Amino acid sequence: MRTRELVDEMLRHIPSLLRMGKRLTGSHAEAEDLVQETLMRAMQHSSELREPSQMRAWLLTIERRLFLNSRRGLRPRLEVLDGGLSPHRREPTGDLERELMEGSLGDELEAALAALPEEQREAIWLREVEELSYDEIARVQDCPLGTVRSRLSRARAALAEHIAAIHERKGSGNAGL
Amino acid sequence: MSAFIDGELEPKERARVEAHLARCERCRAAVRTYRSIGAAMRARTGESAVASELETRLRRQLLREARSSAMPKRLRWAWVAVSGAAIAAAVMLGVMQRPDSALDEALADELVSHHLRGFARRRPCEIESDDPEEVREWVEARFGYRVEVPKPEGVELMGARACRIEGQETAALMYRYDEVPMTVFVPPPGSTAIASAERFASSGARCTMGPIGERICVSAEQPAFAVSSLPEAQMLSLMR
């Protein structure tokens, strides 16, 4: 890949890197710094990228390692999904799937995500938001494929259970689980 | 079920799950919920807006980095050719360190991070000057302590800036060697960073690898940390 093509391809992944950076650092300014360091580091080691189609997973791997190296020993902050607490929160309607889609369970989703172990929270994020394959997640998280599979399975079960429990406590009807 | 909705099952497994779903409402509901959770996460995250200024700045930095990254390979070979004897001497003197030699990891992280961030800035230096005397005076006025500002042959002194290492204001001298950046951090006297430098280089100048591949070399005469992707022998030679 020629240098300009490589740079264009790297820059295409800035949104993913910023999202991951914000999730890790909890701050937009720090996320920008982290993205900058990640891309500089990636450019210095661009010869190590064997498969250009794996660019995003490769960049996210570098970003995660840089962050962990810089914060070794400190627990990553809990991420806040963009949007935060909506001032126009809809009332529960009794249909769990629909409420999730409409955003009326936003706070519950935040709380459920925050309650997950970090590895599970990161795995579900990489799958659902960044849409990485299991193979790519395994590379980013530096773990076996089977571990990714079990992290995702446990994360989803815990999220569904957490949200359904809150939903039921509010007496808004059948959770359907 | 989780791998099923991600399309990560083998055809046989997938067929078995589909057969089960056809007769199990509870599992169908679980699949719907799992999919809704994913969609809700994506909807709440949205697309991060990337400021065009950020993209422009990063493009410029990446292209510059691409140019300078090409240099060390050539330099490395040139260096091996001309300074084999110097490297051999360094080995004999024991200045080449063991890979497991310990420099505090948090300190190494800070040094490399400041080095990368410093050079990633539009204007890396607070004072831009290639005059060692002018840089030395600026550092003394700015930090209140005296530093030696070396200017080895063939190395471009760019200037200096301030940063915080282990919570203390530290002078960072910035250099380029054939486009390859190098930062020399000179911590204040009595600081914890100075103590680390003195401990690390107690038997002479030596280097270690930073957390992401850059080298950190510590000189003994004026306790200071040099960070760069230059070859080790070259950095040691520049610090003498």
Side-chain angles (χ1 to χ4, degrees), chain A residues 44, chain B residues 64-65 67-73 75-76 115 119 155-156 158 174-183 214 227-231 234-235 238:
Chain A
Q44 288 164 358
Chain B
R64 196 168 60 206
E65 184 57 40
R67 281 196 297 275
S68 67
S69 292
M71 298 302 290
K73 288 176 194 158
L75 281 174
R76 198 168 292 128
H115 166 68
F119 275 95
V155 178
E156 177 197 353
M158 298 172 64
M174 307 185 80
Y175 296 89
R176 276 188 196 279
Y177 186 93
D178 270 356
E179 294 296 315
V180 182
M182 177 167 82
T183 309
E214 282 73 12
V227 183
S228 176
S229 55
L230 285 167
Q234 197 164 4
M235 286 179 70
L238 296 176

PDB file of all heavy atoms in Angstrom, chain A residues 44, chain B residues 64-65 67-73 75-76 115 119 155-156 158 174-183 214 227-231 234-235 238:
ATOM      1  N   GLN A  44       4.669   4.256  12.344  1.00  0.00           N
ATOM      2  CA  GLN A  44       6.050   3.812  12.564  1.00  0.00           C
ATOM      3  C   GLN A  44       6.194   2.308  12.350  1.00  0.00           C
ATOM      4  O   GLN A  44       7.259   1.821  12.006  1.00  0.00           O
ATOM      5  CB  GLN A  44       6.497   4.151  13.993  1.00  0.00           C
ATOM      6  CG  GLN A  44       6.733   5.631  14.222  1.00  0.00           C
ATOM      7  CD  GLN A  44       6.792   5.979  15.706  1.00  0.00           C
ATOM      8  OE1 GLN A  44       6.627   5.127  16.570  1.00  0.00           O
ATOM      9  NE2 GLN A  44       6.999   7.252  16.006  1.00  0.00           N
TER      10      GLN A  44
ATOM     11  N   ARG B  64       4.403  13.186   7.627  1.00  0.00           N
ATOM     12  CA  ARG B  64       5.739  13.544   8.110  1.00  0.00           C
ATOM     13  C   ARG B  64       6.400  12.323   8.771  1.00  0.00           C
ATOM     14  O   ARG B  64       7.563  12.031   8.561  1.00  0.00           O
ATOM     15  CB  ARG B  64       5.625  14.688   9.121  1.00  0.00           C
ATOM     16  CG  ARG B  64       6.947  15.380   9.387  1.00  0.00           C
ATOM     17  CD  ARG B  64       6.733  16.671  10.146  1.00  0.00           C
ATOM     18  NE  ARG B  64       6.095  16.452  11.428  1.00  0.00           N
ATOM     19  CZ  ARG B  64       5.358  17.337  12.081  1.00  0.00           C
ATOM     20  NH1 ARG B  64       5.137  18.513  11.573  1.00  0.00           N
ATOM     21  NH2 ARG B  64       4.827  17.069  13.251  1.00  0.00           N
ATOM     22  N   GLU B  65       5.586  11.602   9.568  1.00  0.00           N
ATOM     23  CA  GLU B  65       6.110  10.412  10.233  1.00  0.00           C
ATOM     24  C   GLU B  65       6.531   9.359   9.214  1.00  0.00           C
ATOM     25  O   GLU B  65       7.542   8.684   9.378  1.00  0.00           O
ATOM     26  CB  GLU B  65       5.041   9.835  11.178  1.00  0.00           C
ATOM     27  CG  GLU B  65       5.502   8.646  12.002  1.00  0.00           C
ATOM     28  CD  GLU B  65       6.720   8.946  12.848  1.00  0.00           C
ATOM     29  OE1 GLU B  65       6.795  10.044  13.409  1.00  0.00           O
ATOM     30  OE2 GLU B  65       7.617   8.076  12.910  1.00  0.00           O
ATOM     31  N   ARG B  67       7.661   9.846   6.286  1.00  0.00           N
ATOM     32  CA  ARG B  67       8.955  10.237   5.710  1.00  0.00           C
ATOM     33  C   ARG B  67      10.089   9.925   6.685  1.00  0.00           C
ATOM     34  O   ARG B  67      11.104   9.366   6.319  1.00  0.00           O
ATOM     35  CB  ARG B  67       8.962  11.731   5.373  1.00  0.00           C
ATOM     36  CG  ARG B  67       8.234  12.073   4.080  1.00  0.00           C
ATOM     37  CD  ARG B  67       8.609  13.464   3.617  1.00  0.00           C
ATOM     38  NE  ARG B  67       8.199  14.497   4.555  1.00  0.00           N
ATOM     39  CZ  ARG B  67       6.988  15.050   4.578  1.00  0.00           C
ATOM     40  NH1 ARG B  67       6.085  14.679   3.705  1.00  0.00           N
ATOM     41  NH2 ARG B  67       6.681  15.970   5.456  1.00  0.00           N
ATOM     42  N   SER B  68       9.878  10.268   7.965  1.00  0.00           N
ATOM     43  CA  SER B  68      10.973  10.059   8.911  1.00  0.00           C
ATOM     44  C   SER B  68      11.125   8.590   9.273  1.00  0.00           C
ATOM     45  O   SER B  68      12.218   8.138   9.591  1.00  0.00           O
ATOM     46  CB  SER B  68      10.791  10.912  10.161  1.00  0.00           C
ATOM     47  OG  SER B  68       9.678  10.478  10.870  1.00  0.00           O
ATOM     48  N   SER B  69      10.021   7.811   9.197  1.00  0.00           N
ATOM     49  CA  SER B  69      10.131   6.378   9.505  1.00  0.00           C
ATOM     50  C   SER B  69      10.994   5.674   8.488  1.00  0.00           C
ATOM     51  O   SER B  69      11.597   4.647   8.769  1.00  0.00           O
ATOM     52  CB  SER B  69       8.761   5.701   9.516  1.00  0.00           C
ATOM     53  OG  SER B  69       8.015   6.158  10.580  1.00  0.00           O
ATOM     54  N   ALA B  70      11.029   6.227   7.280  1.00  0.00           N
ATOM     55  CA  ALA B  70      11.837   5.586   6.249  1.00  0.00           C
ATOM     56  C   ALA B  70      13.325   5.789   6.535  1.00  0.00           C
ATOM     57  O   ALA B  70      14.157   5.031   6.072  1.00  0.00           O
ATOM     58  CB  ALA B  70      11.500   6.183   4.883  1.00  0.00           C
ATOM     59  N   MET B  71      13.655   6.793   7.333  1.00  0.00           N
ATOM     60  CA  MET B  71      15.057   7.113   7.565  1.00  0.00           C
ATOM     61  C   MET B  71      15.808   6.106   8.436  1.00  0.00           C
ATOM     62  O   MET B  71      16.904   5.700   8.085  1.00  0.00           O
ATOM     63  CB  MET B  71      15.192   8.511   8.203  1.00  0.00           C
ATOM     64  CG  MET B  71      14.672   9.627   7.342  1.00  0.00           C
ATOM     65  SD  MET B  71      15.490   9.701   5.753  1.00  0.00           S
ATOM     66  CE  MET B  71      17.096  10.272   6.269  1.00  0.00           C
ATOM     67  N   PRO B  72      15.234   5.685   9.569  1.00  0.00           N
ATOM     68  CA  PRO B  72      16.039   4.861  10.447  1.00  0.00           C
ATOM     69  C   PRO B  72      16.590   3.615   9.762  1.00  0.00           C
ATOM     70  O   PRO B  72      17.690   3.190  10.064  1.00  0.00           O
ATOM     71  CB  PRO B  72      15.071   4.469  11.557  1.00  0.00           C
ATOM     72  CG  PRO B  72      14.062   5.544  11.554  1.00  0.00           C
ATOM     73  CD  PRO B  72      13.937   5.978  10.126  1.00  0.00           C
ATOM     74  N   LYS B  73      15.824   3.027   8.802  1.00  0.00           N
ATOM     75  CA  LYS B  73      16.320   1.811   8.155  1.00  0.00           C
ATOM     76  C   LYS B  73      17.642   2.096   7.456  1.00  0.00           C
ATOM     77  O   LYS B  73      18.608   1.369   7.605  1.00  0.00           O
ATOM     78  CB  LYS B  73      15.292   1.304   7.144  1.00  0.00           C
ATOM     79  CG  LYS B  73      14.075   0.709   7.814  1.00  0.00           C
ATOM     80  CD  LYS B  73      13.051   0.326   6.786  1.00  0.00           C
ATOM     81  CE  LYS B  73      11.725   0.059   7.468  1.00  0.00           C
ATOM     82  NZ  LYS B  73      10.605   0.170   6.578  1.00  0.00           N
ATOM     83  N   LEU B  75      19.553   4.669   8.028  1.00  0.00           N
ATOM     84  CA  LEU B  75      20.534   5.083   9.023  1.00  0.00           C
ATOM     85  C   LEU B  75      21.134   3.889   9.739  1.00  0.00           C
ATOM     86  O   LEU B  75      22.305   3.838  10.018  1.00  0.00           O
ATOM     87  CB  LEU B  75      19.862   5.988  10.061  1.00  0.00           C
ATOM     88  CG  LEU B  75      19.647   7.429   9.652  1.00  0.00           C
ATOM     89  CD1 LEU B  75      18.840   8.139  10.719  1.00  0.00           C
ATOM     90  CD2 LEU B  75      20.992   8.118   9.472  1.00  0.00           C
ATOM     91  N   ARG B  76      20.228   2.919  10.029  1.00  0.00           N
ATOM     92  CA  ARG B  76      20.687   1.770  10.792  1.00  0.00           C
ATOM     93  C   ARG B  76      21.824   1.064  10.050  1.00  0.00           C
ATOM     94  O   ARG B  76      22.835   0.745  10.606  1.00  0.00           O
ATOM     95  CB  ARG B  76      19.514   0.815  11.030  1.00  0.00           C
ATOM     96  CG  ARG B  76      19.767  -0.157  12.141  1.00  0.00           C
ATOM     97  CD  ARG B  76      18.489  -0.866  12.528  1.00  0.00           C
ATOM     98  NE  ARG B  76      17.536   0.011  13.145  1.00  0.00           N
ATOM     99  CZ  ARG B  76      16.270   0.129  12.764  1.00  0.00           C
ATOM    100  NH1 ARG B  76      15.815  -0.572  11.773  1.00  0.00           N
ATOM    101  NH2 ARG B  76      15.474   0.947  13.375  1.00  0.00           N
ATOM    102  N   HIS B 115       7.370  12.344  24.655  1.00  0.00           N
ATOM    103  CA  HIS B 115       8.176  12.434  23.423  1.00  0.00           C
ATOM    104  C   HIS B 115       7.251  12.433  22.198  1.00  0.00           C
ATOM    105  O   HIS B 115       7.352  13.309  21.331  1.00  0.00           O
ATOM    106  CB  HIS B 115       9.149  11.258  23.375  1.00  0.00           C
ATOM    107  CG  HIS B 115       9.785  11.039  22.039  1.00  0.00           C
ATOM    108  ND1 HIS B 115      10.689  11.924  21.478  1.00  0.00           N
ATOM    109  CD2 HIS B 115       9.643  10.036  21.128  1.00  0.00           C
ATOM    110  CE1 HIS B 115      11.078  11.477  20.302  1.00  0.00           C
ATOM    111  NE2 HIS B 115      10.455  10.337  20.064  1.00  0.00           N
ATOM    112  N   PHE B 119       6.387  15.870  19.734  1.00  0.00           N
ATOM    113  CA  PHE B 119       6.684  15.991  18.307  1.00  0.00           C
ATOM    114  C   PHE B 119       5.430  15.950  17.441  1.00  0.00           C
ATOM    115  O   PHE B 119       5.497  16.275  16.262  1.00  0.00           O
ATOM    116  CB  PHE B 119       7.685  14.910  17.879  1.00  0.00           C
ATOM    117  CG  PHE B 119       9.103  15.319  18.129  1.00  0.00           C
ATOM    118  CD1 PHE B 119       9.755  14.950  19.295  1.00  0.00           C
ATOM    119  CD2 PHE B 119       9.772  16.125  17.220  1.00  0.00           C
ATOM    120  CE1 PHE B 119      11.051  15.356  19.544  1.00  0.00           C
ATOM    121  CE2 PHE B 119      11.067  16.542  17.455  1.00  0.00           C
ATOM    122  CZ  PHE B 119      11.713  16.155  18.622  1.00  0.00           C
ATOM    123  N   VAL B 155      23.582  16.759  14.287  1.00  0.00           N
ATOM    124  CA  VAL B 155      22.266  16.697  14.928  1.00  0.00           C
ATOM    125  C   VAL B 155      21.673  18.099  14.968  1.00  0.00           C
ATOM    126  O   VAL B 155      22.363  19.060  15.304  1.00  0.00           O
ATOM    127  CB  VAL B 155      22.383  16.145  16.370  1.00  0.00           C
ATOM    128  CG1 VAL B 155      21.019  16.130  17.038  1.00  0.00           C
ATOM    129  CG2 VAL B 155      22.968  14.747  16.337  1.00  0.00           C
ATOM    130  N   GLU B 156      20.403  18.208  14.606  1.00  0.00           N
ATOM    131  CA  GLU B 156      19.745  19.513  14.598  1.00  0.00           C
ATOM    132  C   GLU B 156      19.085  19.762  15.949  1.00  0.00           C
ATOM    133  O   GLU B 156      18.218  18.983  16.380  1.00  0.00           O
ATOM    134  CB  GLU B 156      18.669  19.527  13.494  1.00  0.00           C
ATOM    135  CG  GLU B 156      17.879  20.816  13.438  1.00  0.00           C
ATOM    136  CD  GLU B 156      16.583  20.666  12.655  1.00  0.00           C
ATOM    137  OE1 GLU B 156      16.372  19.603  12.041  1.00  0.00           O
ATOM    138  OE2 GLU B 156      15.776  21.614  12.669  1.00  0.00           O
ATOM    139  N   MET B 158      16.459  21.651  17.865  1.00  0.00           N
ATOM    140  CA  MET B 158      15.253  22.387  17.458  1.00  0.00           C
ATOM    141  C   MET B 158      14.846  23.435  18.487  1.00  0.00           C
ATOM    142  O   MET B 158      14.262  24.445  18.157  1.00  0.00           O
ATOM    143  CB  MET B 158      14.092  21.419  17.266  1.00  0.00           C
ATOM    144  CG  MET B 158      14.325  20.396  16.181  1.00  0.00           C
ATOM    145  SD  MET B 158      13.015  19.168  16.183  1.00  0.00           S
ATOM    146  CE  MET B 158      11.602  20.171  15.751  1.00  0.00           C
ATOM    147  N   MET B 174      14.765  19.313  22.403  1.00  0.00           N
ATOM    148  CA  MET B 174      14.256  18.579  21.239  1.00  0.00           C
ATOM    149  C   MET B 174      15.246  18.642  20.075  1.00  0.00           C
ATOM    150  O   MET B 174      15.714  19.711  19.706  1.00  0.00           O
ATOM    151  CB  MET B 174      12.890  19.128  20.860  1.00  0.00           C
ATOM    152  CG  MET B 174      11.979  19.124  22.088  1.00  0.00           C
ATOM    153  SD  MET B 174      10.306  19.603  21.783  1.00  0.00           S
ATOM    154  CE  MET B 174       9.636  18.111  21.108  1.00  0.00           C
ATOM    155  N   TYR B 175      15.488  17.456  19.523  1.00  0.00           N
ATOM    156  CA  TYR B 175      16.478  17.318  18.448  1.00  0.00           C
ATOM    157  C   TYR B 175      15.895  16.542  17.272  1.00  0.00           C
ATOM    158  O   TYR B 175      14.888  15.828  17.414  1.00  0.00           O
ATOM    159  CB  TYR B 175      17.684  16.527  18.939  1.00  0.00           C
ATOM    160  CG  TYR B 175      18.486  17.162  20.049  1.00  0.00           C
ATOM    161  CD1 TYR B 175      18.165  16.923  21.386  1.00  0.00           C
ATOM    162  CD2 TYR B 175      19.568  17.979  19.759  1.00  0.00           C
ATOM    163  CE1 TYR B 175      18.913  17.489  22.410  1.00  0.00           C
ATOM    164  CE2 TYR B 175      20.324  18.547  20.782  1.00  0.00           C
ATOM    165  CZ  TYR B 175      19.985  18.302  22.106  1.00  0.00           C
ATOM    166  OH  TYR B 175      20.732  18.861  23.111  1.00  0.00           O
ATOM    167  N   ARG B 176      16.571  16.666  16.151  1.00  0.00           N
ATOM    168  CA  ARG B 176      16.307  15.788  15.005  1.00  0.00           C
ATOM    169  C   ARG B 176      17.640  15.301  14.462  1.00  0.00           C
ATOM    170  O   ARG B 176      18.591  16.059  14.394  1.00  0.00           O
ATOM    171  CB  ARG B 176      15.598  16.536  13.869  1.00  0.00           C
ATOM    172  CG  ARG B 176      14.124  16.614  14.024  1.00  0.00           C
ATOM    173  CD  ARG B 176      13.498  17.182  12.762  1.00  0.00           C
ATOM    174  NE  ARG B 176      12.154  17.615  13.011  1.00  0.00           N
ATOM    175  CZ  ARG B 176      11.095  16.795  13.040  1.00  0.00           C
ATOM    176  NH1 ARG B 176      11.247  15.516  12.825  1.00  0.00           N
ATOM    177  NH2 ARG B 176       9.905  17.269  13.279  1.00  0.00           N
ATOM    178  N   TYR B 177      17.643  14.025  14.080  1.00  0.00           N
ATOM    179  CA  TYR B 177      18.810  13.490  13.405  1.00  0.00           C
ATOM    180  C   TYR B 177      18.302  12.922  12.096  1.00  0.00           C
ATOM    181  O   TYR B 177      17.624  11.886  12.093  1.00  0.00           O
ATOM    182  CB  TYR B 177      19.476  12.396  14.259  1.00  0.00           C
ATOM    183  CG  TYR B 177      20.785  11.905  13.684  1.00  0.00           C
ATOM    184  CD1 TYR B 177      21.996  12.468  14.084  1.00  0.00           C
ATOM    185  CD2 TYR B 177      20.815  10.895  12.732  1.00  0.00           C
ATOM    186  CE1 TYR B 177      23.194  12.033  13.555  1.00  0.00           C
ATOM    187  CE2 TYR B 177      22.012  10.451  12.195  1.00  0.00           C
ATOM    188  CZ  TYR B 177      23.200  11.021  12.599  1.00  0.00           C
ATOM    189  OH  TYR B 177      24.379  10.585  12.068  1.00  0.00           O
ATOM    190  N   ASP B 178      18.576  13.615  10.999  1.00  0.00           N
ATOM    191  CA  ASP B 178      18.037  13.189   9.695  1.00  0.00           C
ATOM    192  C   ASP B 178      16.536  12.930   9.786  1.00  0.00           C
ATOM    193  O   ASP B 178      16.056  11.851   9.441  1.00  0.00           O
ATOM    194  CB  ASP B 178      18.750  11.925   9.208  1.00  0.00           C
ATOM    195  CG  ASP B 178      19.960  12.281   8.369  1.00  0.00           C
ATOM    196  OD1 ASP B 178      20.175  13.480   8.111  1.00  0.00           O
ATOM    197  OD2 ASP B 178      20.678  11.344   7.979  1.00  0.00           O
ATOM    198  N   GLU B 179      15.801  13.892  10.314  1.00  0.00           N
ATOM    199  CA  GLU B 179      14.341  13.821  10.410  1.00  0.00           C
ATOM    200  C   GLU B 179      13.825  12.905  11.512  1.00  0.00           C
ATOM    201  O   GLU B 179      12.637  12.839  11.765  1.00  0.00           O
ATOM    202  CB  GLU B 179      13.694  13.372   9.078  1.00  0.00           C
ATOM    203  CG  GLU B 179      13.844  14.353   7.930  1.00  0.00           C
ATOM    204  CD  GLU B 179      13.133  15.685   8.183  1.00  0.00           C
ATOM    205  OE1 GLU B 179      11.971  15.642   8.644  1.00  0.00           O
ATOM    206  OE2 GLU B 179      13.732  16.727   7.939  1.00  0.00           O
ATOM    207  N   VAL B 180      14.711  12.138  12.146  1.00  0.00           N
ATOM    208  CA  VAL B 180      14.232  11.265  13.229  1.00  0.00           C
ATOM    209  C   VAL B 180      14.263  12.069  14.533  1.00  0.00           C
ATOM    210  O   VAL B 180      15.311  12.593  14.921  1.00  0.00           O
ATOM    211  CB  VAL B 180      15.114  10.010  13.385  1.00  0.00           C
ATOM    212  CG1 VAL B 180      14.546   9.108  14.481  1.00  0.00           C
ATOM    213  CG2 VAL B 180      15.204   9.266  12.059  1.00  0.00           C
ATOM    214  N   PRO B 181      13.098  12.214  15.189  1.00  0.00           N
ATOM    215  CA  PRO B 181      13.067  13.051  16.392  1.00  0.00           C
ATOM    216  C   PRO B 181      13.675  12.375  17.615  1.00  0.00           C
ATOM    217  O   PRO B 181      13.624  11.156  17.750  1.00  0.00           O
ATOM    218  CB  PRO B 181      11.568  13.294  16.613  1.00  0.00           C
ATOM    219  CG  PRO B 181      10.878  12.191  15.922  1.00  0.00           C
ATOM    220  CD  PRO B 181      11.770  11.710  14.818  1.00  0.00           C
ATOM    221  N   MET B 182      14.236  13.214  18.477  1.00  0.00           N
ATOM    222  CA  MET B 182      14.751  12.722  19.767  1.00  0.00           C
ATOM    223  C   MET B 182      14.480  13.799  20.822  1.00  0.00           C
ATOM    224  O   MET B 182      14.703  14.978  20.578  1.00  0.00           O
ATOM    225  CB  MET B 182      16.261  12.439  19.690  1.00  0.00           C
ATOM    226  CG  MET B 182      16.842  12.002  21.035  1.00  0.00           C
ATOM    227  SD  MET B 182      18.515  11.309  20.913  1.00  0.00           S
ATOM    228  CE  MET B 182      19.496  12.793  20.873  1.00  0.00           C
ATOM    229  N   THR B 183      13.971  13.379  21.945  1.00  0.00           N
ATOM    230  CA  THR B 183      13.772  14.304  23.064  1.00  0.00           C
ATOM    231  C   THR B 183      14.732  13.926  24.178  1.00  0.00           C
ATOM    232  O   THR B 183      14.861  12.746  24.511  1.00  0.00           O
ATOM    233  CB  THR B 183      12.331  14.223  23.612  1.00  0.00           C
ATOM    234  OG1 THR B 183      11.404  14.349  22.529  1.00  0.00           O
ATOM    235  CG2 THR B 183      12.059  15.323  24.629  1.00  0.00           C
ATOM    236  N   GLU B 214      10.017   2.586  21.329  1.00  0.00           N
ATOM    237  CA  GLU B 214      11.060   3.600  21.310  1.00  0.00           C
ATOM    238  C   GLU B 214      12.131   3.244  22.344  1.00  0.00           C
ATOM    239  O   GLU B 214      11.858   2.531  23.308  1.00  0.00           O
ATOM    240  CB  GLU B 214      10.490   4.995  21.642  1.00  0.00           C
ATOM    241  CG  GLU B 214       9.770   5.651  20.501  1.00  0.00           C
ATOM    242  CD  GLU B 214       8.428   5.006  20.221  1.00  0.00           C
ATOM    243  OE1 GLU B 214       7.977   4.201  21.058  1.00  0.00           O
ATOM    244  OE2 GLU B 214       7.844   5.305  19.177  1.00  0.00           O
ATOM    245  N   VAL B 227      14.858   9.972  24.435  1.00  0.00           N
ATOM    246  CA  VAL B 227      13.853   9.056  23.867  1.00  0.00           C
ATOM    247  C   VAL B 227      13.819   9.251  22.365  1.00  0.00           C
ATOM    248  O   VAL B 227      13.707  10.376  21.872  1.00  0.00           O
ATOM    249  CB  VAL B 227      12.452   9.342  24.463  1.00  0.00           C
ATOM    250  CG1 VAL B 227      11.435   8.342  23.911  1.00  0.00           C
ATOM    251  CG2 VAL B 227      12.476   9.279  25.979  1.00  0.00           C
ATOM    252  N   SER B 228      13.921   8.155  21.630  1.00  0.00           N
ATOM    253  CA  SER B 228      13.918   8.240  20.169  1.00  0.00           C
ATOM    254  C   SER B 228      13.775   6.841  19.583  1.00  0.00           C
ATOM    255  O   SER B 228      13.923   5.841  20.293  1.00  0.00           O
ATOM    256  CB  SER B 228      15.230   8.868  19.690  1.00  0.00           C
ATOM    257  OG  SER B 228      15.289   8.868  18.290  1.00  0.00           O
ATOM    258  N   SER B 229      13.505   6.792  18.279  1.00  0.00           N
ATOM    259  CA  SER B 229      13.507   5.484  17.613  1.00  0.00           C
ATOM    260  C   SER B 229      14.852   5.253  16.913  1.00  0.00           C
ATOM    261  O   SER B 229      14.982   4.323  16.125  1.00  0.00           O
ATOM    262  CB  SER B 229      12.352   5.397  16.609  1.00  0.00           C
ATOM    263  OG  SER B 229      12.420   6.462  15.697  1.00  0.00           O
ATOM    264  N   LEU B 230      15.828   6.104  17.183  1.00  0.00           N
ATOM    265  CA  LEU B 230      17.164   5.914  16.597  1.00  0.00           C
ATOM    266  C   LEU B 230      17.798   4.628  17.139  1.00  0.00           C
ATOM    267  O   LEU B 230      17.451   4.181  18.231  1.00  0.00           O
ATOM    268  CB  LEU B 230      18.071   7.097  16.976  1.00  0.00           C
ATOM    269  CG  LEU B 230      17.828   8.414  16.230  1.00  0.00           C
ATOM    270  CD1 LEU B 230      18.568   9.553  16.931  1.00  0.00           C
ATOM    271  CD2 LEU B 230      18.271   8.307  14.778  1.00  0.00           C
ATOM    272  N   PRO B 231      18.744   4.051  16.399  1.00  0.00           N
ATOM    273  CA  PRO B 231      19.440   2.876  16.917  1.00  0.00           C
ATOM    274  C   PRO B 231      20.150   3.193  18.237  1.00  0.00           C
ATOM    275  O   PRO B 231      20.607   4.320  18.451  1.00  0.00           O
ATOM    276  CB  PRO B 231      20.456   2.556  15.811  1.00  0.00           C
ATOM    277  CG  PRO B 231      19.886   3.168  14.582  1.00  0.00           C
ATOM    278  CD  PRO B 231      19.165   4.395  15.023  1.00  0.00           C
ATOM    279  N   GLN B 234      23.670   4.615  18.292  1.00  0.00           N
ATOM    280  CA  GLN B 234      23.676   5.993  17.818  1.00  0.00           C
ATOM    281  C   GLN B 234      23.238   6.949  18.929  1.00  0.00           C
ATOM    282  O   GLN B 234      23.840   8.005  19.127  1.00  0.00           O
ATOM    283  CB  GLN B 234      22.719   6.097  16.646  1.00  0.00           C
ATOM    284  CG  GLN B 234      22.925   7.319  15.821  1.00  0.00           C
ATOM    285  CD  GLN B 234      22.232   7.177  14.491  1.00  0.00           C
ATOM    286  OE1 GLN B 234      21.549   6.204  14.231  1.00  0.00           O
ATOM    287  NE2 GLN B 234      22.399   8.149  13.646  1.00  0.00           N
ATOM    288  N   MET B 235      22.206   6.542  19.663  1.00  0.00           N
ATOM    289  CA  MET B 235      21.734   7.408  20.746  1.00  0.00           C
ATOM    290  C   MET B 235      22.812   7.561  21.811  1.00  0.00           C
ATOM    291  O   MET B 235      23.049   8.652  22.328  1.00  0.00           O
ATOM    292  CB  MET B 235      20.462   6.830  21.360  1.00  0.00           C
ATOM    293  CG  MET B 235      19.254   7.018  20.459  1.00  0.00           C
ATOM    294  SD  MET B 235      17.763   6.329  21.158  1.00  0.00           S
ATOM    295  CE  MET B 235      17.448   7.452  22.523  1.00  0.00           C
ATOM    296  N   LEU B 238      25.350   9.941  20.650  1.00  0.00           N
ATOM    297  CA  LEU B 238      24.887  11.337  20.664  1.00  0.00           C
ATOM    298  C   LEU B 238      24.869  11.915  22.071  1.00  0.00           C
ATOM    299  O   LEU B 238      24.966  13.120  22.265  1.00  0.00           O
ATOM    300  CB  LEU B 238      23.484  11.432  20.059  1.00  0.00           C
ATOM    301  CG  LEU B 238      23.355  11.061  18.581  1.00  0.00           C
ATOM    302  CD1 LEU B 238      21.913  11.115  18.135  1.00  0.00           C
ATOM    303  CD2 LEU B 238      24.194  11.998  17.729  1.00  0.00           C
TER     304      LEU B 238
END
